Amino acid sequence: MAMAAGHLMRCGVIHPRVFPVLHPTTHRVEKIMSRGSRVIRCQVHDSRGFTTVQPKIRKVEEIESTAGQVIQCRAAVAWEAGKPLVIEEVEVAPPKEMEVRLKILYTSLCHTDVYFWEAKGQTPLFPRIFGHEAGGIVESVGEGVTDLAPGDHVLPVFTGECKECAHCKHEESNMCDLLRINTERGVMISDGQSRFSINGEPIYHFLGTSTFSEYTVVHSGCVAKIDPLAPLDKVCVLSCGISTGLGATLNVAKPPKGSTVAIFGLGAVGLAAAEGARIAGASRIIGVDRNPTKFNEAKKFGVTEFVNPMDYDRPVQEVLAEMTGGGVDRSVECTGNVNAMISAFECVHDGWGVAVLVGVPHKEAQFKTHPINFLTERTLKGTFFGNYKPRTDLPLVVEKYMNKELELEKFITHSVPFSEINKAFDYMLKGDGLRCIIHMDG
Ligand SMILES: NC(=O)c1ccc[n+]([C@@H]2O[C@H](COP(=O)([O-])OP(=O)(O)OC[C@H]3O[C@@H](n4cnc5c(N)ncnc54)[C@H](O)[C@@H]3O)[C@@H](O)[C@H]2O)c1
Ligand SMILES: [Zn+2]
Ligand SMILES: [Zn+2]
């Protein structure tokens, strides 16, 4: 029996759980074939013509919208600091006012997740669902949400944009008063409650995103709606690390053409910062890392010289000053180590040098330098999310990838099914590779 396309339209347009790669505005469902309650296949029409697709979920009843209901799904729960995550069945409550519930399709691991999971230099808060770098589809929206709808392809972001506060209205700030990063909060802003639970016991959120779950609830101001044709398994890395590094250089350090830039830390964030320096036309890009296995990979990102601080018995800032006739024009620190932050500042040239801090420091870290380093006209800056305003700017960064002005594939060195998420932690702890994409359907 052939079922009318109207059936699907009635129950939530093209439902993301059934057809995760389709989008209601670009794909028109022409015909759905079903036998009894089983959906066999469906014919869709997009800009390239007709295609037949296999739905993910085959039962007609499952197509019915889940909006307004509690969803049971898999999530990777961190029960204790530093202990492997456990895949659990969790309950995800519907979104409340100004919130959205997302189906996460791909997520990746950023070092910030690891710091808070280890909780060595950060406040412990457990049980918690980590994850903040991800791509997904809106499943349902809460009251008052007008600019997002079920089926929209989105990137959740750890820092938001309400578009109304003084920061959102200020051209230079992305530190939204309402939705700026808050690492200590484990609940939703609106009611101080968690949307996740197991047998009625709440599980804490992380960075307002908690993407290590098949479904998550996020404030709508922390969600960037992107081009539905952008492949979410690639652009998900733009939801934190790559945009942060790229923006730290392009929006904050702003190296003039022909300048010399030092990058401290050659992980994904640092190499994205190097990519920014290359795009800006820097002529020397000096990579600084304690792990020499990072150097080979870094060549693909335009890093021209390498310094391992462990090879010297004097401060690395002195080594860099010697290499560059007095100091680098710009430096970007992407390690999270306070000593590297101090070196990154002290290695910039007096008179004009600018250093930008990106790494997330230990909660008790103190930055110490002699004030004369400022008096001699060096500038120190810092940034979250590369100064991008997430909702306004992120769709444009995605467009850069779509227009082939930005390569993302080279940042993706590993991929694992969701059931093996702990492997992603092992890779990062070993310093193996850059980003590991976690496929939520595996
Ligand atoms: N400000 C932001 O908005 C923001 C966003 C994302 C990530 N971060 C932070 O950026 C940092 C990098 O993240 P990542 O995911 O690329 O991590 P990563 O672990 O992949 O890379 C960090 C690199 O720094 C190197 N390193 C560590 N200590 C060093 C030292 N003292 N000197 C030289 N090199 C050193 C490591 O060997 C590694 O290669 C982390 O601190 C993370 O929390 C900040
Ligand atoms: Zn991050
Ligand atoms: Zn705001």
Side-chain angles (χ1 to χ4, degrees), residues 160-169 175-179:
E161 183 183 355
C162 76
K163 296 197 174 182
E164 276 162 25
C165 72
H167 286 273
C168 287
K169 287 188 172 150
M175 289 280 96
C176 174
D177 268 337
L178 179 69
L179 302 168

Side-chain angles (χ1 to χ4, degrees), residues 110-113 132-133 158 207 239-241 244 269 435:
C110 165
H111 213 129
T112 311
D113 295 304
H132 63 282
E133 199 172 272
F158 66 84
L207 296 185
S239 122
C240 176
T244 296
V269 179
R435 281 298 190 254

Side-chain angles (χ1 to χ4, degrees), residues 55-122:
K56 273 250 154 196
I57 296 169
R58 300 292 187 82
K59 285 205 172 140
V60 170
E61 307 88 77
E62 288 185 68
I63 300 175
E64 298 297 339
S65 174
T66 42
Q69 295 169 27
V70 170
I71 290 181
Q72 281 244 343
C73 69
R74 290 182 308 156
V77 177
W79 289 101
E80 277 180 71
K83 295 275 164 63
L85 308 187
V86 184
I87 304 283
E88 306 275 8
E89 278 286 310
V90 297
E91 301 202 318
V92 186
K96 294 203 173 164
E97 197 175 347
M98 296 314 286
E99 295 172 355
V100 293
R101 189 160 56 184
L102 308 180
K103 177 174 173 60
I104 300 297
L105 297 182
Y106 302 97
T107 183
S108 47
L109 184 65
C110 165
H111 213 129
T112 311
D113 295 304
V114 177
Y115 294 142
F116 285 84
W117 165 74
E118 286 179 323
K120 286 181 187 158
Q122 309 297 344

Side-chain angles (χ1 to χ4, degrees), residues 20 92 205 406 437 442:
V92 186
H205 293 246
L406 178 66
I437 306 294

Side-chain angles (χ1 to χ4, degrees), residues 110-112 115 158 240 244 265-270 288-291 294 309 334-337 340 358-360 383-385 428 435:
C110 165
H111 213 129
T112 311
Y115 294 142
F158 66 84
C240 176
T244 296
L266 302 176
V269 179
V288 182
D289 203 297
R290 291 196 300 207
N291 177 355
K294 297 282 171 175
C334 308
T335 70
N337 179 296
V358 175
V360 173
T383 176
F384 274 116
F385 201 53
M428 182 151 279
R435 281 298 190 254

